[in-house]
Amino acid sequence: MHIVLDETAMAAAGQGTVLASRLIHRAHAETGWFLYAPSCALVEADRARPGTAEHLAALPGITVLDLDLPAALAVAQQETWAAAHSQHAAQPTADRPDGAIVATTLPKRWEGRAVRVLDLTP
């Protein structure tokens, strides 16, 4: 299971939201569960809730994704860096042929986009 946390899911995790906490626990404790934190979304989550970036980056079950050239090109074509980097990270790759699911507390934001969504709304 590959899951990309958008900035709203990261902020929810920082607030101790149960669903976000369960995802983090599973990624740490269970084989085959992977959580990704796109760096642009991590910055936005930290702006919304200071301290979130350090907290999430320190957790062993979360992989922080750098803004590499393909991600930067994807971000340049969208309105917000956080959403664009999250969407880019959820696209299929050689390691994730089916792509990843975007975890969010704002599922309506993802309507009409080519991503699967996991609603973390409490």
Side-chain angles (χ1 to χ4, degrees), residues 3 14 27 54 62:
I3 300 173
E54 281 185 61
I62 297 179

Side-chain angles (χ1 to χ4, degrees), residues 19-118:
L19 293 174
S21 296
R22 285 182 183 161
L23 283 178
I24 292 168
H25 173 73
R26 282 199 163 176
H28 176 68
E30 293 186 32
T31 303
W33 280 76
F34 303 93
L35 283 184
Y36 305 96
S39 55
C40 292
L42 193 60
V43 168
E44 287 303 315
D46 200 68
R47 286 180 179 166
R49 184 169 173 78
T52 299
E54 281 185 61
H55 175 71
L56 291 176
L59 296 173
I62 297 179
T63 301
V64 176
L65 300 176
D66 294 331
L67 184 64
D68 58 9
L69 180 58
L73 295 174
V75 165
Q77 298 174 14
Q78 306 251 352
E79 289 183 31
T80 68
W81 287 36
H85 199 186
S86 297
Q87 183 175 348
H88 173 75
Q91 298 307 304
T93 65
D95 295 338
R96 299 182 309 270
D98 294 327
I101 298 167
V102 175
T104 185
T105 63
L106 293 174
K108 290 202 180 274
R109 165 209 256 173
W110 297 100
E111 288 178 358
R113 297 191 188 197
V115 294
R116 294 174 292 156
V117 173
L118 175 61

